[in-house]
Amino acid sequence: MNHFLEEISSEVRGAFAVLGYRSELGKVTVSNRLDLCELQCNGAMAAAREYQKPPLTIAAEVAERLQGNSVFAAVEVVAPGFLNLDVSARYVRDYVIRMGAATKLGVKSVKPQKVIVDYGGANVAKPLHVGHLRSAIIGESIRRIISYAGHDTVGDIHLGDWGLQMGLIIHELKQRHPQWVYFDPLYPQSQDKAGSGEEPQEALFTLADLAEIYPLASEKSKNDSDYREQAQAATHELQSGHRGYRAIWQQIMEVSLTDLRRVYDGLDVSFDLWKGESDVQEYIADMIAGLINDGFAKESDGALIIDVSTATDSKEIPPCLIRKSDGASLYMTTDLATVLDRVKEINPDAMVYITDKRQNMHFEQLFRCIRKVGMVKPEMELTHLGIGTMNGNDGKPFKTRDGGVMRLEELVAEINEKMYQRIIPNQTMSEEEARETARVVGLAALKYGDLSNQAGKDYVFDIDRFTSFEGDTGPYILYTIVRIKSIMAKCALADGEAGEERIILSYLRYLDEEEAAVRTGAKTLLLALAGFSAMVEAAYQEIAPHRVAAYTYQLANAFNMFYHETKILTESVNEKRRAYLALLAITKMVLETCIDLLGFSAPERM
Ligand code: ARG
């Protein structure tokens, strides 16, 4: 089925065409004066210029043709040539019935593309900060939107696991425990030592140790250039295959990944691939040799660079640095090699990267480089979504109360506690259920608070506002869904109406057309529901979860308006009550689909 506005437009286009005008002029949009009409068409204005006729005349001709068209309840011509339209209640009701029966609520099927979504991007052994939170939340939603739009997605966390932080930790451990077998100068060469029982089977350090070591080593390297150089050397040795360092690295990975998986699970963020920078090490030597051979990579002050600037650049685009003068590879190097790996293993049609917008230049360079050296097929779509910063109430990057950098887990704990405080006073829940509910609603508060903002913009993280049950918030959306669930449960109890969703939905046909006539709550709700598929397509095209959030809020509002003006449970005419029940069921279905696209779910009660 077509989008609602497309179907409506095709009626108006038909009228334009019959009258001898270009049919595209019949495009219908949502009215920007909802107090006057539901939809509007401005085509007569453009037609006037093209056909040298007064717009009012053209509009009147079109209106005349549309008289008696059952799609419209009202067609009005307004100076200087607008067509104000109200859609017929029966038509929108039937559209929603079709939508309820269609797969994926009427979202059109497409030729599936294979899309890699690169998000999360945690750095191993460094604490996860709120900065990584946005990439995870937004990326998860984007992956779900792209899948729902009909494509095959592969989500890859692309761990930062091959950089200086590893060298810093290794170097610090070496200073503290020079006697460890990994640091024995003979260890790397001596094959017979491997598996001889000298290597510790379990990691010699814990997550807490790493959390202490990394910041300390990082601080030391800032003030002590010897220390820094040694850490850099350790990084390079690790990358070149030093066996002892690889063994330590392996242990750092194990300890950190267990923790990372737990954190992402708690956020309901998941990945198909847990690959990282280290996984593409094997490609690097050949890749670089090839780039030199083909004349793309050039020496510059001992380092290796690829020029990606063009004559038409309006700003300076620095060259890609693919090998440092000390021989170590860089972020750019592993990102290039990752493209080779992805092309070989997955052969995607498109790749979407989601990171902090401070990496905008990195991706500009990366994409230019990929295309310049012909690493991907020309039709491959490459997108980078640079996300804004999460600020505190003071407008500065989010901090803890005592001014430190907020760790992700502390933030989540704070929200859950706030949610718990809001939930318990009016509930008969057990402590356990209240805690679990607080977790589910807290996650919605966090995710919705983020996703309701345009990804590229900075926003203020306001815990009080985000956890409120009123306004444009996650808890308000969940509260609406819970309300629907509870009415549906009561209805079902009242007359054994439970039944299959499909049957319930078919009751929508009982919705009285008079009642759903012009601008009642029921009609507004139907119109909001009918906009679902176009919204999904727009959210996909623009890679914009905030579109889903805005729609969800609009739909929740429309539902609550209907709810307040309608006596549902006490409605004595059976068919009427059933029709309402159907309206509840489809609203719930659409709202639940929306929050699933945003990456959270609703509790049974709250
Ligand atoms: N680890 C990086 C960071 O913390 C993000 C990785 C993003 N993905 C990529 N393919 N570069 O900044």
Side-chain angles (χ1 to χ4, degrees):
M1 65 196 281
N2 274 320
H3 299 326
F4 183 64
L5 283 181
E6 274 171 13
E7 285 199 1
I8 305 273
S9 293
S10 80
E11 300 294 327
V12 183
R13 283 200 197 105
F16 270 88
V18 167
L19 292 162
Y21 302 115
R22 229 171 12 97
S23 68
E24 293 76 31
L25 295 163
K27 184 173 180 227
V28 174
T29 55
V30 171
S31 158
N32 49 24
R33 283 289 305 274
L34 287 172
D35 54 326
L36 297 180
C37 57
E38 293 161 351
L39 309 170
Q40 66 186 59
C41 169
N42 303 345
M45 251 77 73
R49 284 187 297 276
E50 272 178 52
Y51 297 92
Q52 303 294 321
K53 251 194 195 177
L56 213 51
T57 312
I58 299 175
E61 287 172 353
V62 174
E64 164 100 47
R65 297 263 0 149
L66 292 174
Q67 290 312 325
N69 184 322
S70 63
V71 168
F72 301 103
V75 178
E76 204 192 340
V77 176
V78 182
F82 293 113
L83 280 165
N84 285 0
L85 307 167
D86 275 340
V87 79
S88 94
R90 170 195 274 263
Y91 182 77
V92 62
R93 181 199 69 189
D94 291 350
Y95 184 90
V96 173
I97 292 177
R98 278 188 282 146
M99 168 181 162
T103 43
K104 293 203 290 191
L105 296 165
V107 169
K108 287 183 214 158
S109 53
V110 290
K111 183 166 170 282
Q113 291 205 316
K114 210 179 272 175
V115 185
I116 296 186
V117 188
D118 179 316
Y119 59 105
N123 294 320
V124 173
K126 293 194 199 176
L128 268 182
H129 293 313
V130 290
H132 285 109
L133 182 68
R134 293 207 73 194
S135 169
I137 291 178
I138 295 169
E140 175 73 23
S141 174
I142 288 174
R143 184 179 57 75
R144 293 179 185 210
I145 292 169
I146 298 177
S147 295
Y148 198 88
H151 301 288
D152 299 328
T153 56
V154 179
D156 184 7
I157 186 170
H158 197 77
L159 293 168
D161 60 359
W162 210 227
L164 183 62
Q165 84 265 35
M166 295 297 185
L168 283 165
I169 294 172
I170 292 172
H171 180 57
E172 179 61 27
L173 285 169
K174 187 172 178 177
Q175 301 231 306
R176 294 187 189 185
H177 312 282
Q179 77 287 1
W180 280 4
V181 61
Y182 308 116
F183 303 123
D184 179 344
L186 292 177
Y187 179 76
Q189 289 81 28
S190 120
Q191 292 298 328
D192 55 334
K193 275 200 172 177
S196 66
E198 284 183 51
E199 293 158 302
Q201 294 303 305
E202 279 174 18
L204 295 162
F205 40 81
T206 62
L207 192 68
D209 295 334
L210 289 180
E212 179 258 327
I213 293 172
Y214 172 72
L216 181 121
S218 160
E219 202 48 42
K220 274 194 195 171
S221 79
K222 280 184 198 135
N223 308 318
D224 179 343
S225 60
D226 272 0
Y227 188 95
R228 183 176 173 82
E229 274 163 31
Q230 281 169 332
Q232 279 168 342
T235 309
H236 185 35
E237 279 183 85
L238 165 73
Q239 293 176 354
S240 335
H242 184 297
R243 264 187 54 219
Y245 291 1
R246 285 279 180 109
I248 298 185
W249 175 84
Q250 193 63 48
Q251 297 191 349
I252 300 176
M253 290 294 281
E254 274 161 31
V255 171
S256 304
L257 287 193
T258 313
D259 185 54
L260 278 179
R261 285 184 198 276
R262 190 181 50 77
V263 173
Y264 283 115
D265 274 353
L267 289 173
D268 254 334
V269 169
S270 64
F271 304 94
D272 302 296
L273 297 177
W274 279 75
K275 288 205 167 189
E277 296 166 355
S278 66
D279 286 300
V280 296
Q281 178 64 20
E282 58 190 276
Y283 292 89
I284 290 177
D286 284 354
M287 176 182 85
I288 290 188
L291 290 171
I292 295 174
N293 220 350
D294 296 341
F296 291 120
K298 306 223 156 53
E299 290 261 342
S300 167
D301 293 330
L304 205 56
I305 60 168
I306 298 179
D307 180 17
V308 289
S309 62
T310 66
T312 53
D313 289 341
S314 54
K315 60 176 185 214
E316 198 203 328
I317 309 288
C320 292
L321 191 52
I322 59 167
R323 193 178 64 202
K324 287 207 288 187
S325 50
D326 68 1
S329 53
L330 301 105
Y331 189 43
M332 185 60 78
T333 327
T334 47
D335 259 337
L336 283 171
T338 300
V339 174
L340 291 180
D341 183 50
R342 287 176 179 169
V343 168
K344 177 165 164 260
E345 301 291 332
I346 299 172
N347 190 23
D349 301 297
M351 292 200 274
V352 185
Y353 295 79
I354 297 130
T355 75
D356 191 292
K357 68 181 173 198
R358 279 169 294 189
Q359 296 190 21
N360 284 359
M361 180 56 88
H362 169 80
F363 284 97
E364 171 81 49
Q365 294 171 298
L366 177 70
F367 292 172
R368 284 178 179 222
C369 189
I370 296 171
R371 298 229 189 261
K372 177 169 183 176
V373 308
M375 265 188 194
V376 296
K377 50 189 178 193
E379 64 275 21
M380 162 99 78
E381 281 177 50
L382 297 167
T383 313
H384 172 240
L385 187 67
I387 56 191
T389 312
M390 188 168 133
N391 289 325
N393 276 326
D394 57 359
K396 301 211 181 87
F398 202 80
K399 294 267 157 57
T400 54
R401 270 194 219 96
D402 52 26
V405 179
M406 180 70 115
R407 291 199 44 198
L408 197 122
E409 290 194 86
E410 293 169 51
L411 178 80
V412 170
E414 194 168 327
I415 289 180
N416 289 355
E417 186 54 35
K418 187 127 231 160
M419 235 38 264
Y420 178 75
Q421 298 304 339
R422 288 196 199 259
I423 285 172
I424 34 164
N426 49 7
Q427 284 299 343
T428 50
M429 288 180 187
S430 67
E431 161 81 13
E432 198 191 346
E433 190 186 347
R435 287 279 169 204
E436 176 55 19
T437 306
R439 194 192 65 79
V440 173
V441 184
L443 189 59
L446 176 69
K447 288 192 164 187
Y448 190 91
D450 192 311
L451 295 168
S452 54
N453 295 283
Q454 224 168 301
K457 299 230 165 94
D458 296 351
Y459 77 103
V460 172
F461 190 86
D462 182 341
I463 293 196
D464 282 326
R465 189 165 75 75
F466 290 180
T467 55
S468 166
F469 282 48
E470 275 149 46
D472 190 6
T473 71
Y476 168 72
I477 306 293
L478 295 193
Y479 192 75
T480 306
I481 295 176
V482 166
R483 168 178 274 164
I484 297 177
K485 285 187 186 178
S486 124
I487 308 169
M488 283 180 72
K490 282 184 196 140
C491 257
L493 286 181
D495 53 9
E497 214 120 54
E500 262 184 76
E501 211 147 55
R502 201 166 38 86
I503 298 177
I504 295 182
L505 286 184
S506 71
Y507 294 154
L508 209 51
R509 67 184 185 279
Y510 297 136
L511 195 69
D512 188 336
E513 285 164 37
E514 316 260 277
E515 192 185 357
V518 191
R519 277 164 246 144
T520 58
K523 180 133 185 239
T524 308
L525 179 54
L526 287 169
L527 282 168
L529 287 164
F532 175 78
S533 63
M535 176 283 292
V536 171
E537 198 169 297
Y540 163 69
Q541 293 292 352
E542 297 164 26
I543 318 188
H546 74 274
R547 286 267 193 170
V548 182
Y551 172 81
T552 311
Y553 182 52
Q554 182 213 341
L555 181 58
N557 279 337
F559 171 78
N560 285 313
M561 217 176 84
F562 161 74
Y563 170 77
H564 287 300
E565 71 171 38
T566 316
K567 300 227 174 323
I568 302 174
L569 284 169
T570 50
E571 173 55 56
S572 57
V573 180
N574 251 335
E575 298 196 334
K576 246 186 174 182
R577 201 181 56 255
R578 288 184 170 177
Y580 294 154
L581 187 61
L583 205 44
L584 294 179
I586 180 114
T587 304
K588 172 168 151 314
M589 224 156 112
V590 176
L591 283 175
E592 282 180 335
T593 305
C594 287
I595 63 171
D596 189 56
L597 292 177
L598 294 171
F600 56 89
S601 55
E604 283 313 305
R605 50 186 193 146
M606 62 191 266

